[in-house]
Amino acid sequence: MNQIFHARGFATKIQRRIFGTRDVNTQHGYLFWSCVVLFLLLIVMLGGCAADKLNREGQQLLDEGRYEEGLSKLQDASKAEPDNMTYRIEVRRNREQIVNSLLAGATEARASDHRDLARTNYQRILRLDPANKRATGGLEELAMDERHDKLIADAKDYLKNENQEAAGAALKSVLLENPRNSQALELQHQIEEQLTKEQNAGPSLKAQFKKPVTLQFRDANLKIVVEALSRVSGINVLLDKDIRPDIKISIFVKEVSVEDTIDLILMQSQLEKKIVNDNTIFVYPNTPAKVKDYQDLVIRSFHLTNADPKQMMGMLKTVLKTRDIYLNEKINSIVVRDTPDAISLAEKMIADQDIAEPEVMMEVEVLEVNRTRLTDIGIKWPDQLSLTALGTGLVPGSATATVAASTAPTLTELKNINSDHIITSPSMSVALKAMLQDTDTNILASPRIRARNREKAKIMIGDRVPVITNAVTPVSSGSPVVTGNVQYLDVGLKLEVEPDIHLNNDVAIRINLDVSTIVKEVQNTQSGTLAYQIGTRNASTLLQLKDGETQILAGLVDNEQRNSASKVPGLGQLPMLGHLFSEHNDNGSKTEIILSITPHVIGKMHQASAGEVQMWSGTEGSVHIKPVSAKLVKAAVASKNASLATPVIAPESVQQPVAVAPVLSGTETPDAASVPPMVLSWQGPSQAQVGDKISLTLNTQSTQGVKSLGFLVGYDPRVLKALDVIEGSFLKQDNSPSKLTKVIDQTTGQILIDLSSTAAAGASGTGSVVAVVFEVLQGASQSQITTSQILPLGTGNETLTFNAPPPYAIAVR
């Protein structure tokens, strides 16, 4: 209809433009121009119908989610009728709504890592609105996300290789462009945690320095002992310039770890060490000044949950002698600055104390049983009778009778008194009473109360009764000043409980029960105030109950019985007939308080382990988390990575240590002046083929008597297979019996060999120790046979110095 009206208006405009204001009927060619106008009107109407159809089709396409086609239809409708502002507004409004919806979907898809969907939405927006900057920026952000993914993947690889610096550098560019990247933030948090853990842990010696050593020195110079130990263990030892050069060391340890050996040396020399890195230590005098200069301190903040921070601060000051400590009561935390060992002990102590206390849920039932019985049976007779004489009311000497002001009889009238002038008081009446009143009252309170361990909990059920007291203050002039004061009395049921939970979940409950009632009011006649007489019953006890056990506390009984009788004297005392001349009143009341309580433990008592209740704390002068010890350390026999021999340093018969050759690799050839008493070497073929059986012989040359010899042979189990170990002739000198113990582990590629001789002088000279038979399994350019864990003992069970054989190489074709 809008199009029709619009077309009519358009036709009217054309007529007025052609014919002006003249009457159209008087013009020439009226019929022709009328046809033209009607034709134009028909064209306008058809165009309006087409635009309306396009508009409806566009709206339907938009509802179906076909945004591009729908907007195209709406635009065509607007072009078909350009003067219609409604169509133009609908095009703009729908385009804006669709773009906003697609932008929201793209943003959500990007946030949930659905980038293909986000890219599709941005591209649809650009097809609808090519100049949309947000869609263009969204595509650029998607490209940036792809770059960031590659950088984050690189950072993860760096982090796996423990290269935190490279990982942090890769993440830096990501966070500069997108500070909210969740993956980058999480990865950065992991890097910070690792760096913090490494910094807090501090430097420590490598695990390989836990290996055993045997040390035998008597009155040796400290620097010589440290130098010999450093060469054997590989630890770099730096000495402070203030260490006295004349310090002598006497130490005899066997198969003790390098770390414990260093601690023993420092302890007897009154020295202290500082670990610089994983293979370097710095030794300095154990004096207060040096300790202050070199000892590292750590700051640790403890955020407490359950413990009292003041008590924890007092514990640290008393036990650990911590001086640098700060308490923040607002956030319930303690900040401590002390040595790493002291901080470690503080952590254990606070963890043992800062534990959640269990709680008890107590189901309480309080029952007050009140029973009252009142009886009033009998005939109530009057207990008194008054007789009163009345006068006639005539004034003597008067002609007429006049009523006197008083009816009291005169003496003259008393002479003539009769029954007509005597009245009785009160009125004579007899009442028959037969009443029985029986009342039972049960007042039940069933509260549930939850209390922490060793904390009091209170229950009050009743009224707070006001008691007003007035104080009168006299003044010199005027009325006295009256001052009132109001106090409140708690009347009713008051219950106070305090649980104490034991380790076996038994609960000791201290109970205080008080039940009070108002007996009567007491009024002060002088001041006009009221006071109250309070009747009370209370009980206090300590119960030991199990979790879920119910205990009933009863017997708080108040029993009253009152009997009274009103009788006519004489008649009321007659047997049987006396009930007709008497009234009997019986009043009895009985009240009992019953308390039932059932505890339920919520949570359990913390049972500390042995490590939590007992900790090593060092000496009075210094705090340490472990003692200085010399534990016997045995070399691991079945370890695949076992490649370290037991270092031996200097026999105790000399004042200075002999030259110690490196015994770990066995690849160095010592000169003649430094050849140790025992030298080992392998002999066998240098090449072999698959399927061959080869024999390798371990030879030795010793200048000292050898009583036993143990070692570990390592090989590649993929290339070689150990078949047998045959004892050589070295320990069988002079036909003395010997013993061979062998353990072949083909899985790990190791052979444990132990030989011993019964000869008193031991074996010396040159000879073969053992022969090992192998079978070649597969080819290899070079396969090595190694020897480690070598332990030669002399006739006095002393450890002999030796030169280990280098790895034996064999080529397999």
Side-chain angles (χ1 to χ4, degrees):
M1 294 299 295
N2 291 333
Q3 288 79 4
I4 294 174
F5 289 127
H6 184 72
R8 289 178 179 176
F10 181 70
T12 304
K13 290 180 182 180
I14 293 176
Q15 290 179 357
R16 289 178 180 176
R17 184 174 295 273
I18 296 175
F19 301 109
T21 57
R22 293 175 297 176
D23 189 0
V24 178
N25 297 324
T26 62
Q27 303 299 324
H28 179 72
Y30 171 77
L31 182 61
F32 172 77
W33 290 110
S34 297
C35 293
V36 171
V37 171
L38 291 176
F39 179 73
L40 294 175
L41 180 62
L42 181 61
I43 292 175
V44 172
M45 292 177 62
L46 291 175
C49 294
D52 183 65
K53 180 180 179 182
L54 291 173
N55 184 70
R56 283 187 279 105
E57 290 177 353
Q59 292 292 345
Q60 184 177 359
L61 291 173
L62 292 179
D63 295 338
E64 295 175 359
R66 300 160 64 179
Y67 300 139
E68 293 83 353
E69 299 177 11
L71 282 179
S72 178
K73 292 287 187 181
L74 293 180
Q75 290 175 353
D76 293 341
S78 179
K79 291 178 181 179
E81 194 174 344
D83 293 337
N84 193 332
M85 297 301 297
T86 302
Y87 293 158
R88 296 173 63 183
I89 292 173
E90 287 185 358
V91 171
R92 294 181 180 179
R93 177 173 57 82
N94 283 285
R95 180 188 291 115
E96 184 178 356
Q97 290 179 353
I98 293 170
V99 168
N100 291 335
S101 176
L102 290 175
L103 283 173
T107 303
E108 183 179 356
R110 182 188 172 208
S112 58
D113 205 17
H114 294 87
R115 296 177 185 170
D116 293 338
L117 178 59
R119 183 178 292 103
T120 302
N121 285 352
Y122 286 137
Q123 291 173 353
R124 294 183 67 182
I125 293 171
L126 291 177
R127 286 195 296 268
L128 299 175
D129 185 9
N132 192 289
K133 295 182 179 180
R134 294 183 61 185
T136 305
L139 292 175
E140 294 176 355
E141 291 177 351
L142 289 176
M144 180 184 64
D145 290 343
E146 293 177 355
R147 297 196 313 271
H148 291 175
D149 288 345
K150 185 178 183 305
L151 292 173
I152 291 174
D154 294 341
K156 290 181 179 179
D157 293 338
Y158 291 140
L159 193 59
K160 288 181 181 178
N161 297 328
E162 299 183 356
N163 191 350
Q164 290 89 352
E165 295 181 0
L171 293 177
K172 186 175 182 181
S173 58
V174 176
L175 294 176
L176 286 176
E177 294 181 353
N178 185 10
R180 298 181 180 179
N181 191 300
S182 59
Q183 294 184 3
L185 291 174
E186 182 180 358
L187 202 59
Q188 186 185 40
H189 182 66
Q190 294 179 8
I191 294 173
E192 292 175 354
E193 282 187 347
Q194 290 186 7
L195 293 176
T196 303
K197 187 181 296 183
E198 292 178 359
Q199 292 174 358
N200 291 339
S204 61
L205 297 178
K206 289 183 178 178
Q208 65 177 347
F209 300 118
K210 304 293 183 180
K211 67 181 180 179
V213 295
T214 297
L215 198 63
Q216 299 177 6
F217 281 104
R218 179 182 296 148
D219 295 334
N221 187 274
L222 172 65
K223 292 185 178 181
I224 296 177
V225 175
V226 170
E227 181 180 357
L229 184 61
S230 175
R231 291 192 325 181
V232 174
S233 63
I235 298 178
N236 302 322
V237 181
L238 305 178
L239 300 178
D240 186 84
K241 62 182 181 63
D242 294 332
I243 294 180
R244 294 184 293 107
D246 57 343
I247 297 178
K248 301 293 183 180
I249 298 296
S250 294
I251 184 170
F252 304 91
V253 293
K254 182 178 181 180
E255 294 184 353
V256 177
S257 68
V258 174
E259 185 177 4
D260 289 342
T261 304
I262 294 175
D263 290 339
L264 292 172
I265 294 173
L266 299 181
M267 181 179 65
Q268 65 174 311
S269 304
Q270 295 184 353
L271 301 174
E272 191 60 66
K273 75 175 184 297
K274 176 180 180 180
I275 301 176
V276 180
N277 54 34
D278 56 0
N279 66 342
T280 304
I281 63 173
F282 178 74
V283 179
Y284 58 90
N286 189 8
T287 60
K290 291 294 183 180
V291 170
K292 186 176 181 181
D293 291 338
Y294 294 124
Q295 194 173 51
D296 293 327
L297 300 179
V298 179
I299 296 177
R300 172 67 191 275
S301 178
F302 296 96
H303 295 274
L304 306 178
T305 303
N306 303 284
D308 186 0
K310 291 184 178 179
Q311 295 182 357
M312 295 298 100
M313 183 174 67
M315 178 186 68
L316 296 179
K317 286 184 175 180
T318 304
V319 178
L320 297 181
K321 304 297 187 295
T322 302
R323 295 185 302 271
D324 300 334
I325 186 169
Y326 174 76
L327 170 65
N328 190 343
E329 294 186 88
K330 185 176 181 180
I331 61 174
N332 207 39
S333 67
I334 300 175
V335 181
V336 182
R337 183 174 184 260
D338 213 323
T339 63
D341 287 351
I343 294 296
S344 179
L345 287 174
E347 290 177 355
K348 295 180 180 179
M349 295 170 62
I350 292 179
D352 179 56
Q353 300 296 321
D354 189 21
I355 56 176
E357 286 283 344
E359 297 180 338
V360 180
M361 173 67 76
M362 286 168 284
E363 297 180 359
V364 181
E365 292 184 356
V366 181
L367 181 65
E368 181 179 2
V369 181
N370 188 0
R371 175 171 293 180
T372 303
R373 187 179 182 87
L374 175 64
T375 58
D376 190 359
I377 299 176
I379 299 176
K380 183 174 179 57
W381 295 86
D383 54 358
Q384 64 179 3
L385 180 65
S386 300
L387 301 178
T388 304
L390 296 177
T392 61
L394 299 177
V395 179
S398 60
T400 59
T402 304
V403 180
S406 175
T407 59
T410 62
L411 293 177
T412 303
E413 292 175 338
L414 287 177
K415 294 179 181 180
N416 301 318
I417 194 73
N418 55 27
S419 60
D420 294 335
H421 295 86
I422 297 175
I423 61 176
T424 63
S425 177
S427 300
M428 292 293 295
S429 65
V430 177
L432 177 62
K433 292 188 175 182
M435 182 184 68
L436 175 61
Q437 183 177 356
D438 198 349
T439 304
D440 289 335
T441 304
N442 294 337
I443 302 175
L444 178 64
S446 181
R448 291 189 177 187
I449 186 169
R450 182 169 175 170
R452 292 184 62 183
N453 189 28
R454 300 185 183 90
E455 296 287 342
K456 291 184 179 180
K458 297 181 180 180
I459 298 175
M460 168 63 192
I461 302 175
D463 301 320
R464 302 197 70 192
V465 180
V467 178
I468 302 175
T469 57
N470 296 328
V472 179
T473 304
V475 293
S476 58
S477 61
S479 301
V481 178
V482 179
T483 303
N485 185 25
V486 180
Q487 296 180 347
Y488 290 90
L489 295 177
D490 292 332
V491 179
L493 171 67
K494 290 189 291 185
L495 178 65
E496 182 178 293
V497 292
E498 182 181 355
D500 186 2
I501 306 173
H502 298 169
L503 289 177
N504 57 355
N505 268 8
D506 286 357
V507 183
I509 306 176
R510 189 175 300 278
I511 300 177
N512 292 319
L513 176 65
D514 188 298
V515 181
S516 57
T517 56
I518 299 177
V519 177
K520 66 178 181 179
E521 297 180 351
V522 179
Q523 186 173 10
N524 190 337
T525 57
Q526 295 181 353
S527 61
T529 58
L530 287 177
Y532 301 94
Q533 179 180 344
I534 306 297
T536 181
R537 280 161 291 171
N538 53 65
S540 179
T541 185
L542 179 63
L543 303 177
Q544 182 81 18
L545 303 177
K546 296 184 179 297
D547 185 13
E549 181 183 358
T550 301
Q551 177 64 46
I552 297 177
L553 179 64
L556 298 176
V557 181
D558 182 11
N559 194 359
E560 295 182 2
Q561 187 71 33
R562 295 187 181 133
N563 299 324
S564 61
S566 299
K567 301 179 181 181
V568 176
L571 297 177
Q573 297 175 350
L574 295 175
M576 302 298 292
L577 295 177
H579 291 286
L580 299 176
F581 301 96
S582 63
E583 177 190 3
H584 296 271
N585 190 313
D586 297 334
N587 188 0
S589 64
K590 181 178 181 181
T591 304
E592 182 178 6
I593 303 296
I594 300 174
L595 171 67
S596 172
I597 184 168
T598 304
H600 298 281
V601 179
I602 302 175
K604 295 183 178 181
M605 290 290 291
H606 174 70
Q607 295 183 352
S609 61
E612 293 175 338
V613 299
Q614 182 174 349
M615 293 165 279
W616 190 270
S617 62
T619 63
E620 182 70 21
S622 61
V623 176
H624 294 287
I625 59 176
K626 64 178 182 178
V628 178
S629 62
K631 294 182 179 179
L632 183 65
V633 179
K634 291 292 186 181
V637 174
S639 174
K640 292 179 62 176
N641 300 323
S643 61
L644 302 177
T646 304
V648 181
I649 303 178
E652 63 178 6
S653 59
V654 296
Q655 297 295 329
Q656 299 295 337
V658 300
V660 181
V663 296
L664 301 181
S665 63
T667 59
E668 300 180 1
T669 303
D671 54 12
S674 61
V675 174
M678 186 176 184
V679 178
L680 298 170
S681 61
W682 284 101
Q683 181 182 0
S686 60
Q687 295 182 355
Q689 295 181 355
V690 177
D692 291 349
K693 293 183 179 180
I694 60 175
S695 177
L696 299 181
T697 304
L698 180 64
N699 299 319
T700 183
Q701 180 180 0
S702 177
T703 59
Q704 294 184 357
V706 180
K707 186 176 182 181
S708 64
L709 176 62
F711 53 95
L712 190 68
V713 177
Y715 61 96
D716 190 353
R718 297 171 299 179
V719 179
L720 301 175
K721 179 181 179 181
L723 300 178
D724 195 7
V725 178
I726 303 172
E727 185 180 2
S729 60
F730 178 69
L731 292 180
K732 293 183 178 180
Q733 298 178 8
D734 301 331
N735 295 324
S736 60
S738 61
K739 181 181 179 182
L740 169 64
T741 302
K742 57 184 178 181
V743 178
I744 300 176
D745 189 355
Q746 180 63 28
T747 303
T748 59
Q750 291 181 336
I751 306 173
L752 176 63
I753 301 174
D754 185 42
L755 299 103
S756 61
S757 174
T758 58
S764 61
T766 303
S768 62
V769 180
V770 291
V772 183
V773 181
F774 292 101
E775 180 182 0
V776 181
L777 299 178
Q778 66 179 16
S781 59
Q782 189 180 45
S783 182
Q784 292 186 345
I785 291 88
T786 61
T787 311
S788 61
Q789 303 290 348
I790 303 174
L791 184 61
L793 298 179
T795 56
N797 287 331
E798 74 276 11
T799 304
L800 304 178
T801 57
F802 61 95
N803 189 8
Y808 188 85
I810 182 172
V812 181
R813 295 178 294 176

